[in-house]
Amino acid sequence: MTDVSHPHAEETQLAEPHLGAVLASAGLDAEYVRAEGNMLYQRAEDGGEIPVLDYAGGYGSLLLGHHHPKLVAYAKELLDAGVPVHSQFSLHPEAARLALTLSRIVRRESGYEEPYFAIFANTGAEANEAALKHAEMDRVMRLGALLATIDDGITKAREAVRDGSATIPAEVFERVGLEPRDSGVAALNELTHHLVTRNATQAGRPPVLLTPEGSFHGKLVGTVQLTHNEGYRNPFKALAAQARFVPLDRPGMLRKMADEERATLFGLEVADGLVRLTEHDAPLICAFILEPIQGEGGIREVSREFVQEVHEVCAEAGAPVIVDEIQSGMGRTGDFLAGTRLGLRGDYYTLAKSLGGGLAKISVLLVRGSRYQGQFELIHSSTFAKDGFSNRIALKVLELLEADDGAAYRKAAELGDRLLAMLGSVRDDYPDVVKDIRGRGLFLGLEFHDQSGAPAAPVAEAARSGLFGYLVAGHLLRGHRLRTFPTASAPNTLRFEPSILLTDDEIKWLETALRDTCDIIQGGYRRPLELPGA
């Protein structure tokens, strides 16, 4: 029998070996044995621990830090009490309490009076996938209702022509591209057949998903189509509805795209003894989905002007606005929702990451009451969603965040200002190395200038191959025991997403590491910045 607990050292690595090789090439192949606060710990050769300052923060999952003591104590209490994890297809009062709490907070942030209904999931990508499915289900139902209304009108017009109470003017034929005919039954049959066929073609067009350039919403079959980075999207392009990516810096482009995707359905009505043509916009735009601050796109905040255009165009098209707050939400920017200060109001919201406090894997889709389709609950489910343990942990997280009138949010804003000031000073002192500082609260990014012409050959080579950010991350880890990564679709931008436990010493730690790195990049320091083995 194979001993599965002790794999032989000589055996081939089977757990994502290619990724392991990539980590090794960048010097990021570290193993951590313990975590606490803003620290991860490696095991030293003498058996002791080596602290590593964690600025990656679980990609935004650790606003309260690693193993927050109150959450750990509560988790132990729940496990000791035998709280059921698997009790699917039964009542979950703790999920109901969590949904009510989230609805109350989101209503406060968005300004909407309606409640938000909750669909729970496990990961952010799954919550976004559920949002797309719900939006498409709603679109199909609205389209079906519109087609039924049009068919009813056509039926009534047919009856009126047949019994002689109405005639068909010549312009009706002309407007739909048919030769004018008499008002007999044969002409009527030709007209109605043409309308029904044309409407079926227009209604059968695939749904349109709109999202900004730079977006990242997950790597599942549907959500990966909303990821602007072609490297993630193109291998799976044939599997799901395609998105159109809207430039953030070109006012009016969203409206132009929406107009290009317009589909008109024709119907008939009878008025004053005449058959008239009616026109109806088919709901082809499934949804507009956006991050208030793009995470993997380089920590870029959308503008209030762009948000206003999104609201106006979506209202005209009848399409929902889906706000992805998976990385930016839960208080990380100084508000529960990053979109609050932008005036961004979502018909749908998705939350994850810090909702589980770094312990539970939980996410949620919140849908505004007037948009919610209850039937969705019967055709969408997830084995681990809505379990008693995760829901209770999430409730405790919200309790900690909302305590003392939102002291945690104020702390995130205050620490973010201090961190931003420090990063700004580094940029000012190294203007040829640091291009930009972006973000808000504890969701910040530092973008380097293109270093493909850097004097140090390893730096220039890494920049030309798109690995510059990983080279820097590896240096920060190996040289300064500081952990962070570049953003996925903007590899020259480093992310900084620490917890609200951040200290002045930890800010200084980062400053020292960044200044050393900038010195090396610009060639003013003797120690080289090299890839492992270089």
Side-chain angles (χ1 to χ4, degrees):
M1 180 181 293
T2 301
D3 183 355
V4 298
S5 63
H6 296 89
H8 298 294
E10 67 271 21
E11 287 185 352
T12 301
Q13 170 63 262
L14 299 180
E16 299 185 324
H18 181 69
L19 177 60
V22 171
L23 291 174
S25 69
L28 296 169
D29 53 337
E31 178 184 355
Y32 300 100
V33 297
R34 191 170 69 85
E36 181 181 15
N38 280 324
M39 293 292 177
L40 284 162
Y41 294 88
Q42 296 174 307
R43 181 73 68 205
E45 291 184 2
D46 63 2
E49 291 183 335
I50 301 173
V52 174
L53 179 56
D54 184 11
Y55 267 93
Y59 299 116
S61 300
L62 297 166
L63 183 64
L64 297 175
H66 290 279
H67 293 124
H68 189 286
K70 290 186 178 179
L71 292 178
V72 170
Y74 187 50
K76 291 178 179 177
E77 178 185 325
L78 294 174
L79 293 173
D80 287 342
V83 167
V85 173
H86 291 283
S87 57
Q88 297 91 339
F89 219 69
S90 64
L91 296 179
H92 296 270
E94 72 288 339
R97 290 196 298 273
L98 177 56
L100 282 171
T101 303
L102 287 167
S103 178
R104 175 180 57 80
I105 295 172
V106 170
R107 286 171 61 198
R108 178 190 73 203
E109 299 279 310
S110 69
Y112 282 128
E113 292 297 325
E114 300 172 56
Y116 279 82
F117 291 88
I119 298 291
F120 290 101
N122 306 291
T123 68
E126 187 184 348
N128 281 337
E129 193 95 349
L132 298 184
K133 287 175 63 178
H134 186 284
E136 176 60 4
M137 177 180 176
D138 179 63
R139 185 192 74 85
V140 169
M141 293 177 70
R142 287 186 288 119
L143 179 59
L146 176 59
L147 288 171
T149 299
I150 291 172
D151 288 345
D152 183 59
I154 290 175
T155 297
K156 290 178 179 178
R158 289 172 64 94
E159 292 172 352
V161 171
R162 284 174 173 169
D163 67 19
S165 62
T167 58
I168 309 174
E171 61 264 24
V172 171
F173 294 93
E174 293 171 350
R175 284 182 62 190
V176 297
L178 295 176
E179 291 292 329
R181 298 282 301 276
D182 58 42
S183 191
V185 173
L188 172 67
N189 289 340
E190 181 183 1
L191 174 63
T192 55
H193 175 75
H194 178 80
L195 294 183
V196 170
T197 301
R198 183 188 180 284
N199 286 347
T201 299
Q202 291 296 304
R205 286 168 54 181
V208 178
L209 298 165
L210 298 173
T211 191
E213 292 181 349
S215 290
F216 181 94
H217 299 285
K219 297 179 181 177
L220 300 181
V221 169
T223 55
V224 77
Q225 303 305 328
L226 301 165
T227 295
H228 189 226
N229 187 326
E230 293 182 350
Y232 294 111
R233 176 165 44 91
N234 279 352
F236 315 103
K237 191 173 182 178
L239 292 179
Q242 303 301 295
R244 294 198 64 179
F245 295 95
V246 184
L248 287 168
D249 57 353
R250 294 171 62 186
M253 183 55 69
L254 173 58
R255 185 175 299 280
K256 179 177 182 295
M257 286 185 174
D259 288 343
E260 290 171 351
E261 299 295 346
R262 180 163 291 167
T264 301
L265 305 182
F266 288 136
L268 299 175
E269 66 178 5
V270 177
D272 299 324
L274 296 175
V275 173
R276 303 293 186 187
L277 197 67
T278 60
E279 295 186 16
H280 311 265
D281 284 337
L284 287 189
I285 297 178
C286 176
F288 190 101
I289 181 168
L290 75 161
E291 306 155 90
I293 302 176
Q294 294 182 338
E296 304 311 317
I299 321 295
R300 298 180 184 276
E301 185 166 12
V302 302
S303 69
R304 295 185 68 91
E305 293 74 19
F306 185 79
V307 166
Q308 182 61 33
E309 186 174 4
V310 168
H311 284 313
E312 291 174 358
V313 172
C314 287
E316 293 170 7
V321 176
I322 303 174
V323 182
D324 177 347
E325 291 270 9
I326 287 164
Q327 192 165 185
S328 60
M330 299 298 300
R332 177 159 292 281
T333 64
D335 298 286
F336 185 81
L337 300 174
T340 298
R341 296 192 191 185
L342 300 173
L344 180 57
R345 306 170 76 196
D347 298 300
Y348 298 15
Y349 286 95
T350 53
L351 295 166
K353 294 192 184 292
S354 282
L355 181 61
L359 294 180
K361 296 175 176 64
I362 180 172
S363 62
V364 66
L365 160 65
L366 299 167
V367 183
R368 189 157 62 96
S370 57
R371 288 276 186 179
Y372 187 65
Q373 298 291 350
Q375 303 95 311
F376 186 73
E377 302 167 20
L378 302 178
I379 60 174
H380 177 86
S381 62
S382 177
T383 298
F384 288 95
K386 208 167 63 172
D387 71 274
F389 177 81
S390 297
N391 283 319
R392 286 175 170 87
I393 292 293
L395 277 166
K396 178 62 72 172
V397 168
L398 294 177
E399 178 186 314
L400 293 173
L401 293 179
E402 293 280 302
D404 191 19
D405 195 28
Y409 311 138
R410 296 191 296 274
K411 186 69 171 176
E414 174 198 342
L415 288 170
D417 288 343
R418 285 150 63 184
L419 188 55
L420 190 64
M422 181 276 287
L423 295 174
S425 72
V426 173
R427 175 197 56 202
D428 294 343
D429 290 344
Y430 297 92
D432 295 332
V433 176
V434 179
K435 181 178 180 179
D436 196 15
I437 305 296
R438 295 185 294 270
R440 183 160 28 106
L442 296 175
F443 191 31
L444 302 176
L446 180 149
E447 182 182 5
F448 291 96
H449 284 290
D450 176 25
Q451 298 297 324
S452 57
V459 173
E461 181 182 351
R464 288 192 292 268
S465 63
L467 296 174
F468 175 76
Y470 296 95
L471 171 69
V472 172
H475 169 74
L476 292 173
L477 179 61
R478 299 189 314 275
H480 293 276
R481 294 186 286 107
L482 189 146
R483 182 175 188 260
T484 191
F485 307 111
T487 57
S489 298
N492 279 2
T493 299
L494 293 184
R495 72 178 79 228
F496 303 107
E497 302 181 60
S499 79
I500 56 174
L501 305 177
L502 188 69
T503 66
D504 288 339
D505 285 344
E506 290 169 347
I507 293 176
K508 185 64 178 177
W509 187 337
L510 174 61
E511 181 178 11
T512 299
L514 289 175
R515 288 182 178 276
D516 168 70
T517 302
C518 290
D519 274 333
I520 296 172
I521 291 171
Q522 69 179 13
Y525 194 71
R526 68 179 184 276
R527 184 156 53 90
L529 188 68
E530 294 183 344
L531 289 168

